[in-house]
Amino acid sequence: MTAPQPADTAARLTGLVRALRGHGLRIGPAETVDAAAVLDVLGFADREQMRAGLAAALLRSDGQRAVFDASFDLFFPLGVGTPEALRTDPPPLPHDPEPPRFGRPDPLRDQLRERLAAALAADDRAAQARLAGEVVEAFGRYGTGSTPGSDGWSAHQALGRLSPETLLARILAALREDPGPEDLSDRVLADEIRRRIRDFRAQVTGEARRRVAELRGAERIAERAVAPTADRIDFLYAGREQLAELRRTVHPLARKLATRLAARRRRAARGQIDLRRTLRRSLGTGGVPLRPAYRLRRPARPELVLLCDVSGSVSGFADFTMLLVRAMSEQFSKVRVFAFVNRTAEITDLLREDSADPARLATRILAEAKVMGYHGNSDYGSALGEFADHRLDAVGPRTCVLILGDARNNHRDPNLDALRRIAGRARRVFWLNPEQPALWPTGDSAALAYADVVEMHPCRNARRLGELIARLLPV
């Protein structure tokens, strides 16, 4: 694998900046000029030093580092083409490109697994990097090359063939026979080995992505294959680790939104110009109104009521929003939170508890609150009807109601009359739907029917949620 030439530095840097902007990172001309100066000073001798310098020039928060690292590896790869050892040396053992049939030996796979187990046990990063290239070369290619654009490299295919997770017991046994200077328990050792395996999987993924970028173009792969920042992760498709990353962004986002709402409140309190007092003041300056007088307002902080669907995949969206509102509770005079699947229950006290585990919030709600009746399917009509019949005292003329859910009603009665009763009593009602509008008329969704009664806004990620809260909530 040959080193990339620095002759096209400007094209690589501008391509990296465009890719980062495409993922929502705010990078202006000043940061780009700073990054160019960093490359001029640091050069290409030390790639990791260059990575750190560009990150310092272009990034504004730690949460952007994962997107930067993946994009950096595409535009400033360690090398291009096939690694030298794989080009000059033939494979040590013959192998078939197709997975072997059941019971058929696979010598190359067995040899790579043995070497990987040794490298992981020794925590040899250089050996792991070489093995990542060999694994992709051996097992990652797909397509025949006869059809343009049909061939490429797959990390999923390569890792599926190698199965590095199944090496845990073998590595543990090797480490027990040859203990290091630190006497660690089996549980700690197992966690450490899992971390090393995850790092190796990331290396294989990066190697496959680099090779695909050479075939398809770095900017195209950066757009499609680089995971987005936490605030752009789609609520409906976020996995466990992504939801955990989202929860870590709750408090920074809450502080930002609280600042915006406080600024809006200050502007609203200023009121309109009082013409009579302004003219009276101008008598002291010869009739020139140098100091306008305003009719000051002292608006009370609004009340907030959340109605949250906590069923199925929507629970991640409701979970994050409830945590965000809890962190922003000081911006409202009163906050009450209700959860439902097909029955409505107040969970304000559960959410307020300091002992509440954010990672298990949805599980605790389902276990401790009566949000389900005789079945476990979503029924928005029944839940809204129960709220309108028994909980409507929570809504008043100063109350803003936020309804969170995808409006998938399992073909039951949507009970629009109950929603009208809530909207008629509240100051404002907004429905935040984690599905894209193109899906609202499909399947069992009652979104369009509800959208005729209250304002419905698509809200697919944390960035959009922050924008809607800052813009819609009254002050």
Side-chain angles (χ1 to χ4, degrees):
M1 186 164 61
T2 60
Q5 299 301 314
D8 56 348
T9 301
R12 290 180 181 274
L13 178 59
T14 54
L16 173 63
V17 169
R18 281 195 298 270
L20 295 176
R21 286 175 178 169
H23 283 280
L25 277 65
R26 296 182 178 179
I27 302 175
E31 289 84 1
T32 307
V33 171
D34 290 343
V38 166
L39 287 179
D40 186 51
V41 171
L42 297 181
F44 289 79
D46 189 332
R47 181 169 176 266
E48 292 308 311
Q49 188 180 49
M50 180 175 65
R51 181 198 299 267
L54 288 178
L58 296 174
L59 304 186
R60 301 187 181 187
S61 68
D62 292 338
Q64 301 171 342
R65 188 58 191 260
V67 172
F68 170 82
D69 284 337
S71 301
F72 176 86
D73 289 336
L74 293 176
F75 290 93
F76 296 92
L78 183 62
V80 295
T82 305
E84 292 289 343
L86 298 181
R87 284 206 306 262
T88 57
D89 300 331
L93 291 171
H95 72 285
D96 295 328
E98 298 296 329
R101 297 175 182 175
F102 180 76
R104 182 180 175 185
D106 189 353
L108 178 58
R109 175 181 179 272
D110 295 340
Q111 185 194 76
L112 289 174
R113 283 171 56 85
E114 291 288 344
R115 292 169 56 196
L116 178 59
L120 291 173
D123 198 16
D124 187 342
R125 304 296 178 86
Q128 293 171 33
R130 290 194 298 271
L131 279 167
E134 294 184 42
V135 168
V136 173
E137 180 72 20
F139 305 135
R141 182 185 289 274
Y142 64 85
T144 61
S146 58
T147 305
S150 64
D151 55 348
W153 303 90
S154 169
H156 179 76
Q157 175 178 300
L159 290 168
R161 184 84 173 270
L162 190 67
S163 302
E165 291 82 3
T166 60
L167 297 173
L168 176 62
R170 184 185 304 183
I171 300 171
L172 269 176
L175 290 177
R176 289 195 198 100
E177 294 176 0
D178 186 19
E182 298 181 359
D183 185 16
L184 302 176
S185 67
D186 284 354
R187 181 174 180 179
V188 175
L189 273 177
D191 290 342
E192 172 63 17
I193 295 168
R194 291 189 184 96
R195 182 194 63 78
R196 295 178 189 179
I197 291 174
R198 286 196 301 270
D199 291 345
F200 177 75
R201 290 180 65 91
Q203 287 179 313
V204 172
T205 301
E207 174 66 15
R209 188 189 296 129
R210 178 191 67 80
R211 296 189 181 208
V212 174
E214 292 179 12
L215 294 175
R216 309 279 191 269
E219 292 196 25
R220 181 180 179 186
I221 301 305
E223 177 186 356
R224 300 185 179 185
V226 174
T229 54
D231 62 346
R232 285 178 169 258
I233 295 173
D234 197 317
F235 287 123
L236 293 181
Y237 306 108
R240 181 180 302 175
E241 294 182 359
Q242 293 174 319
L243 287 175
E245 178 66 23
L246 267 178
R247 295 186 190 102
R248 286 191 286 270
T249 68
V250 163
H251 289 286
L253 179 58
R255 288 195 298 269
K256 182 185 298 184
L257 293 178
T259 302
R260 292 180 182 175
L261 291 177
R264 285 180 58 198
R265 188 173 292 116
R266 286 194 299 270
R267 290 194 298 268
R270 192 173 185 181
Q272 297 179 343
I273 290 180
D274 188 329
L275 183 59
R276 179 178 296 179
R277 291 174 57 208
T278 300
L279 291 176
R280 187 176 300 168
R281 282 184 180 181
S282 68
L283 295 177
T285 56
V288 180
L290 295 179
R291 294 185 302 120
Y294 295 89
R295 295 188 182 95
L296 298 181
R297 296 175 53 212
R298 288 177 173 79
R301 293 189 177 187
E303 299 175 359
L304 184 64
V305 167
L306 260 67
L307 281 171
C308 310
D309 181 2
V310 293
S311 65
S313 59
V314 188
S315 62
F317 168 48
D319 177 9
F320 179 81
T321 308
M322 287 187 288
L323 292 174
L324 179 63
V325 168
R326 183 181 68 174
M328 294 177 58
S329 59
E330 294 182 357
Q331 299 301 312
F332 307 95
S333 61
K334 183 187 295 185
V335 176
R336 297 183 68 177
V337 183
F338 298 85
F340 67 88
V341 175
N342 48 62
R343 292 188 60 187
T344 303
E346 184 168 5
I347 58 168
T348 306
D349 293 336
L350 178 63
L351 190 65
R352 191 182 294 124
E353 291 178 4
D354 294 335
S355 59
D357 182 4
R360 298 180 55 198
L361 180 59
T363 303
R364 293 192 64 204
I365 292 172
L366 293 175
E368 301 177 27
K370 296 181 180 179
V371 295
M372 286 187 288
Y374 61 90
H375 62 86
N377 298 324
S378 296
D379 187 344
Y380 282 78
S382 176
L384 291 173
E386 184 175 354
F387 181 86
D389 291 339
H390 305 290
R391 307 283 187 174
L392 203 55
D393 59 338
V395 180
R398 290 168 46 198
T399 305
C400 179
V401 178
L402 284 184
I403 303 175
L404 314 177
D406 58 5
R408 298 233 163 237
N409 202 36
N410 291 291
H411 301 289
R412 293 182 168 87
D413 178 15
N415 199 352
L416 300 180
D417 182 63
L419 184 58
R420 291 190 186 98
R421 291 167 59 193
I422 298 171
R425 188 177 175 91
R427 179 179 177 181
R428 299 292 298 273
V429 178
F430 301 108
W431 192 307
L432 306 185
N433 192 328
E435 286 192 338
Q436 54 184 321
L439 298 177
W440 293 358
T442 64
D444 60 350
S445 176
L448 294 183
Y450 288 130
D452 288 336
V453 181
V454 298
E455 290 186 40
M456 183 172 290
H457 299 269
C459 184
R460 301 180 60 188
N461 53 53
R463 171 169 293 196
R464 176 63 174 166
L465 176 63
E467 293 172 353
L468 289 173
I469 287 180
R471 178 167 59 89
L472 298 178
L473 290 187
V475 294

